[in-house]
């Protein structure tokens, strides 16, 4: 879907900082863009986010989790993404279907095909024009973050999970390189931000 751009990467890679910095830059330029995130992004979807990420819900079935992500996605698309795209705005979304593919399909082992099928039902044609992938290994990402946040149910899972997630992203990129802008996120925050902006200029999303 034209003008729909998503951000992906492993936990702790600095997506939150980078999307915030990009938002400020777009505001300085006076661009009419929307920044949003998943899971969440709208009232109902944020309520679903709380259930998914609640550390007390460790008994949650993996497939239940996958459906909750998809459910939150349907609502978020309806409330935020579709109206903004219809109004001609550029939408930047922090995480989208690729997170489900790699975290649920590969990390949790539910099967990529199953999670792709589930999300095809959830999103229909609303696939991103392209995805900015912040490339940093889970080892580097966790070092940078100073270790996992134990109050977050997903961040307290074992490390091999995150390696599967990272390798999953790499396979998706290899299978469809034109749909990704791979950004080396191993430098300083400022360097990473500069690389993101350059990629968005190349793609014609930001002015030169
Ligand atoms: P965040 O920390 O980027 O806000 O994402 C919250 C967590 O949710 C993160 O560990 C990745 C995970 N996640 C999935 O497992 N599947 C999904 O579909 C999405 C959107 C996020």
């Amino acid at each position: 879907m034209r003008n729909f751009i998503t951000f992906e990467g492993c936990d702790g890679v600095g997506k939150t900082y980078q999307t915030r910095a990009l938002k400020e830059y777009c505001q300085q330029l006076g661009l009419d863009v929307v920044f949003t995130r998943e899971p969440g992004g709208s009232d109902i979807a944020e309520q679903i986010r709380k259930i998914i990420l609640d550390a007390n819900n460790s008994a949650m079935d993996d497939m239940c989790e996958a459906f909750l992500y998809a459910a939150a996605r349907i609502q978020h698309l309806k409330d935020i993404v579709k109206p903004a795209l219809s109004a001609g705005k550029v939408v930047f979304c922090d995480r989208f279907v690729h997170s489900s593919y790699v975290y649920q399909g590969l990390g949790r082992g539910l099967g990529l095909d199953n999670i792709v099928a589930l999300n095809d039902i959830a999103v229909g044609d609303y696939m991103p024009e392209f995805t900015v992938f912040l490339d940093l290994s889970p080892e580097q990402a966790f070092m940078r973050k100073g270790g996992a946040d134990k109050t977050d149910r997903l961040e307290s899972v074992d490390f091999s999970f995150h390696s599967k997630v990272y390798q999953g992203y790499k396979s998706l990129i290899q299978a469809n390189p034109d749909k990704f802008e791979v950004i080396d996120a191993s430098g300083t925050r400022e360097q990473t931000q500069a690389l993101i902006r350059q990629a968005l200029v190349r793609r014609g999303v930001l002015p030169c």
Side-chain angles (χ1 to χ4, degrees):
M1 191 61 60
R2 203 173 135 60
N3 291 338
F4 184 30
I5 296 144
T6 59
F7 285 81
E8 296 282 353
C10 292
D11 288 279
V13 78
K15 262 185 315 78
T16 307
Y17 172 86
Q18 294 301 338
T19 48
R20 198 170 295 149
L22 183 65
K23 183 178 179 182
E24 281 167 18
Y25 180 65
C26 289
Q27 281 168 346
Q28 281 164 21
L29 293 180
L31 302 177
D32 194 10
V33 297
V34 169
F35 280 80
T36 186
R37 71 161 182 187
E38 289 204 350
S42 73
D43 286 350
I44 295 171
E46 286 289 334
Q47 291 176 51
I48 300 173
R49 177 188 175 97
K50 282 203 186 94
I51 296 170
I52 300 172
L53 300 184
D54 187 342
N56 292 318
N57 289 340
S58 59
M60 186 183 290
D61 183 86
D62 289 347
M63 195 56 95
C64 172
E65 181 193 73
F67 273 77
L68 286 179
Y69 278 117
R73 185 159 293 136
I74 293 167
Q75 193 65 39
H76 175 231
L77 278 171
K78 180 182 184 205
D79 293 341
I80 305 290
V81 179
K82 290 181 182 178
L85 291 174
S86 298
K89 296 180 183 178
V90 173
V91 177
F92 292 102
C93 187
D94 182 348
R95 296 197 182 279
F96 196 59
V97 287
H98 297 96
S99 285
S100 284
Y101 297 168
V102 296
Y103 281 83
Q104 280 66 57
L106 302 171
R108 300 277 194 229
L110 295 176
L112 187 56
D113 290 351
N114 289 333
I115 300 303
V116 168
L118 172 62
N119 279 278
D120 281 353
I121 296 170
V123 308
D125 292 336
Y126 281 81
M127 286 295 283
E129 182 179 347
F130 66 92
T131 297
V132 177
F133 176 67
L134 299 188
D135 192 355
L136 194 69
S137 73
E139 290 84 359
Q140 289 169 296
F142 268 62
M143 291 281 286
R144 181 177 288 185
K145 218 182 168 191
D149 174 1
K150 296 291 177 208
T151 60
D152 182 321
R153 196 174 66 81
L154 295 179
E155 294 202 351
S156 47
V157 297
D158 73 287
F159 208 72
S160 69
F161 174 85
H162 292 283
S163 296
K164 281 187 217 157
V165 166
Y166 184 62
Q167 291 311 322
Y169 276 127
K170 290 280 175 165
S171 314
L172 293 178
I173 292 162
Q174 209 174 6
N176 220 339
D178 295 347
K179 284 284 178 188
F180 290 88
E181 285 291 338
V182 179
I183 303 294
D184 176 1
S186 65
T188 64
R189 288 171 153 190
E190 292 72 24
Q191 286 166 338
T192 304
Q193 180 65 202
L195 291 173
I196 293 170
R197 289 183 196 172
Q198 281 164 23
L200 293 174
V201 169
R202 263 199 317 277
R203 290 271 185 170
V205 177
L206 291 181
C208 296

